[in-house]
Amino acid sequence: MRTHPRSYPAFLLAVIASLVFCTAAFAGTDPLPSWNDTGTKQAIVTFVEKVTTEGSPDFVPPAGRIATFDNDGTLWPSHPMYTQLAFALDRIKALAPRHPEWKTKQPFKAVLDDDLKALAAAGEKGLVELIMTSHAGMSTAEFEAIVTDWFKTAVHPRFKKHYTELAYQPMLELLAYLRSNDFKTYIVSGGGIEFMRPMTEAVYGVPPEQVIGSSIETRYEIKDGKPELMRLPKIHFIDDKTGKPVGINMFIGKRPVAAFGNSDGDREMLEWTGAGSGSRLMMLVLHDDAEREYAYGPANGLPDTRFGTFSQSTMDEAKKKGWNVISMKDDWKRIFSFDQ
Amino acid sequence: MRTHPRSYPAFLLAVIASLVFCTAAFAGTDPLPSWNDTGTKQAIVTFVEKVTTEGSPDFVPPAGRIATFDNDGTLWPSHPMYTQLAFALDRIKALAPRHPEWKTKQPFKAVLDDDLKALAAAGEKGLVELIMTSHAGMSTAEFEAIVTDWFKTAVHPRFKKHYTELAYQPMLELLAYLRSNDFKTYIVSGGGIEFMRPMTEAVYGVPPEQVIGSSIETRYEIKDGKPELMRLPKIHFIDDKTGKPVGINMFIGKRPVAAFGNSDGDREMLEWTGAGSGSRLMMLVLHDDAEREYAYGPANGLPDTRFGTFSQSTMDEAKKKGWNVISMKDDWKRIFSFDQ
């Protein structure tokens, strides 16, 4: 058998090809490319490696790998207002032609006039009335269709994108990274469970059965021989603050080993997660990037807000308990998939 | 190269080995060995093959393969009383030394005296008092430990086995068969969600997050610096009758393609399942085998009962809507794993 002498250009090409391949392969092994190489990213990777290494004292079998994520402010923006509130206001406007009396009746008049001051003056009672009017009185199937249609057309006032395009790219990578390590990822949000479910699978890869949220009551009815679940104007469950551990226990029946939030509404979820034995990961997204997204707290002297308040007291608890605070400004290379 | 002539005994051995292998392999392909070869078994296999065959008009992608199972009377006995009621009565007896006043106070006296007549006279109000006394007032962690201990020791009065050994063998095979075809199997029971969860994974292969049931309210509290969920004596949700579709929609957010029950409490779950488009499988277990288990209806002239009533009206609806009725006597080769 003869060996052919390798020509120099061919050899060089092979070396270059190898280098390109190796670089690509190396890049492919970074599951969190939109995260800067900071301690926050390291904390995530270290935690996942610890709990997935068999024989490690921190090993958690796949069945116990439960990770819970708040939605508004944690997976997508909650400013200038909660997405669901934007939906409610749009829905009131869409229903207005059928309700001429709303032209002079608060809180509806405020919505139709885009009068945010009058809307604020209507207080919580007014807000509940708007939510119930826009969210109840139809079947679950009808509501799903209404929400699905809205997500197709509604556009975020600042970013001029559909709301479903505004999922934070680093969090999408985190969700996928956890799932590739046999975690079951759940959404545990103060938002409405049936408002989120039509989009969570496509946007976050989270199926309906892994979405926990606030809910109104539904009633089983037979209409024209066909069973329907009618949505009633009555609160069933508020999945916020102390409601989050309650909802987690109700829906999952297991304590998470990792929990991600961004506001005072997530404290109890993180406390509940952290109170389990073994290795745990608790993280809070801090909105400190007014340029690329928003900046609010009031923790760390950031501006105060009504949507997604991150108080100094929550920041103090985070420090005391070793919860990681994610700085959107410092820890995230990009915020949205369309960012450079 | 030479070929060796095959000796006759070796050839025979090879043939026998092949036959043994093929028979074993064939036996191994029957996923429902405890079911008799009746139309009921055929209906199950036909349905599963239809919805799992790609390109078939009835094909359902794995994400939509949701199967819901009632528990009491469907997966294990509900006679002579619901297992959870047996637990409640045992719990009252265990707590009695701390409550000397119960010796003279109904409905507790009836329990301590094993006086079923007085117990029945206490009515629903008395029953709720017994359930709340035995199920509330402790943390979720404490309740889980109490239930787990009880299942380790309590024995069924007729079969003299632990309750967890009384899962119906044909239903265990059905659960496993569906899961091997990428179905997600859920329990949807009128029983208490936190009473079932400590045993469903080990007994049925159903993890806690796939168990839906009735619940009482829980309250998040910090005790000695540690968060706990305290069980309150207040009903949160009744997962029975019209509550079953409500619970399914709340917890899963998808309509099942298959549903299995045994009583009037399961009608709405089967109606809701059957109202979806495409191929569906709805089945009701009929307890018509007094010899091997129990016989009650009152459908089909069987004796009437307070636990797991299968009325003639439910039987009529089953016939009208093409729901399959599983005859324990005719369709099941064995009831329990320990049956011959």
Side-chain angles (χ1 to χ4, degrees), chain A residues 53 75 84 100 126 129 193-194 204 296 331:
Chain A
T53 302
L75 296 179
Q84 191 169 0
E129 195 173 354
I193 191 165
E194 299 211 81
Y204 304 127
Y296 53 88
D331 291 324

Side-chain angles (χ1 to χ4, degrees), chain B residues 29-32 41 44-49 52 171-183 185:
Chain B
T29 62
D30 181 1
L32 303 169
K41 177 177 180 172
I44 296 170
V45 173
T46 300
F47 168 77
V48 170
E49 286 176 354
T52 57
M171 296 306 274
L172 293 180
E173 293 166 9
L174 176 56
L175 284 162
Y177 174 51
L178 291 172
R179 287 194 293 262
S180 74
N181 281 282
D182 294 327
F183 278 79
T185 53

Side-chain angles (χ1 to χ4, degrees), chain B residues 21 38 145 172 174 215 227-228 253 322:
Chain B
F21 177 77
T38 61
L172 293 180
L174 176 56
S215 54
E228 292 195 340

Side-chain angles (χ1 to χ4, degrees), chain B residues 237-298:
Chain B
F237 178 62
I238 297 291
D239 190 50
D240 199 31
K241 301 185 189 286
T242 60
K244 291 205 175 193
V246 169
I248 287 168
N249 183 64
M250 173 70 58
F251 279 72
I252 313 180
K254 291 173 179 172
R255 194 191 297 263
V257 291
F260 304 86
N262 78 299
S263 78
D264 290 4
D266 300 311
R267 282 171 83 151
E268 289 83 358
M269 175 168 75
L270 269 63
E271 289 169 358
W272 180 246
T273 301
S277 60
S279 197
R280 307 270 151 175
L281 183 68
M282 281 72 67
M283 293 194 150
L284 288 170
V285 175
L286 180 66
H287 293 257
D288 57 358
D289 193 336
E291 199 180 312
R292 296 189 298 175
E293 203 243 12
Y294 295 97
Y296 54 89

